[in-house]
Amino acid sequence: MDIRYPKARLSPSKPELVVIEFSREDVEAGYIDTALARLQILVDDKVSAEQWEGCVTFFFSGWDDDIRETAQIPEIRDWFAKLSSAFPYWFHVCEKEGDTVSHVFRLLCPGHVECVKEGIVGWRFDDLRNVTVMMRILFNHQNALYERLDLSEEMNERVSEEIAQLLECSLT
């Protein structure tokens, strides 16, 4: 059996998954402080950043009856963009075996749901240049985080390779 993202399996933090809930109330109020506090603690210092690298996934509660994908909901997209401006370290903290990194890109880069084949839908980005720009922004913030916390270059290279593989698989 082929492993979907073999490089993602190199991360030492896989057994511990941190699932963060973003509530509809916070999203509709434009309130990011609770989410930001939950995320920031994961990268407050070198020990925390090393421990929680590659462990985060998230979901939005309160939209269970909404048939749209979260990336189709303007309030969620706006709120997530605001959160990501304050916490741009997604590449470091997100788990890399599932859909979390792709979810980040769907939320931050314009696109739409598209039928891939009968009964199967996917996400098509409106302009891949937006993905490229966002990728550069997030890599720059990852590099700044690693420099600020004196995290190893080996970890930075591994995480970067994992992200590159995820994006390659997601966009092809």
Side-chain angles (χ1 to χ4, degrees):
M1 180 174 150
D2 289 336
I3 297 172
R4 187 172 178 196
Y5 306 120
K7 292 187 185 222
R9 304 225 182 240
L10 299 174
S11 177
S13 303
K14 293 300 174 248
E16 301 172 19
L17 192 63
V18 176
V19 180
I20 298 177
E21 174 187 5
F22 300 141
S23 74
R24 184 174 190 153
E25 294 78 21
D26 283 353
V27 170
E28 289 179 342
Y31 183 74
I32 65 166
D33 291 354
T34 301
L36 185 58
R38 290 177 183 158
L39 291 164
Q40 192 61 47
I41 198 166
L42 303 174
V43 296
D44 267 347
D45 55 53
K46 183 175 183 173
V47 172
S48 297
E50 288 174 338
Q51 178 181 359
W52 300 113
E53 178 266 315
C55 293
V56 171
T57 191
F58 58 86
F59 70 99
F60 293 89
S61 64
W63 275 277
D64 298 337
D65 296 328
D66 196 316
I67 62 169
R68 297 173 292 176
E69 297 290 326
T70 54
Q72 293 178 287
I73 301 172
E75 298 88 352
I76 289 177
R77 293 178 63 83
D78 292 344
W79 181 88
F80 194 78
K82 182 178 174 183
L83 176 64
S84 295
S85 290
F87 186 87
Y89 310 117
W90 295 114
F91 285 173
H92 178 76
V93 299
C94 283
E95 61 81 21
K96 295 169 191 81
E97 290 184 33
D99 187 50
T100 306
V101 172
S102 296
H103 195 189
V104 167
F105 276 94
R106 288 191 305 270
L107 290 165
L108 294 174
C109 300
H112 58 276
V113 172
E114 186 174 271
C115 182
V116 176
K117 59 183 175 181
E118 189 174 335
I120 299 177
V121 296
W123 185 262
R124 178 171 298 276
F125 293 102
D126 292 342
D127 187 339
L128 287 179
R129 289 176 291 194
N130 293 324
V131 176
T132 302
V133 168
M134 186 53 59
M135 182 177 60
R136 285 185 188 135
I137 290 168
L138 294 176
F139 271 129
N140 286 340
H141 285 289
Q142 174 183 314
N143 291 335
L145 175 72
Y146 278 59
E147 186 174 318
R148 178 173 53 88
L149 296 179
D150 193 31
L151 295 169
S152 75
E153 184 61 31
E154 291 79 19
M155 179 188 285
N156 196 354
E157 288 175 12
R158 177 182 47 75
V159 170
S160 297
E161 287 178 9
E162 292 172 358
I163 295 296
Q165 183 182 55
L166 276 167
L167 292 174
E168 178 184 3
C169 291
S170 297
L171 297 174
T172 56

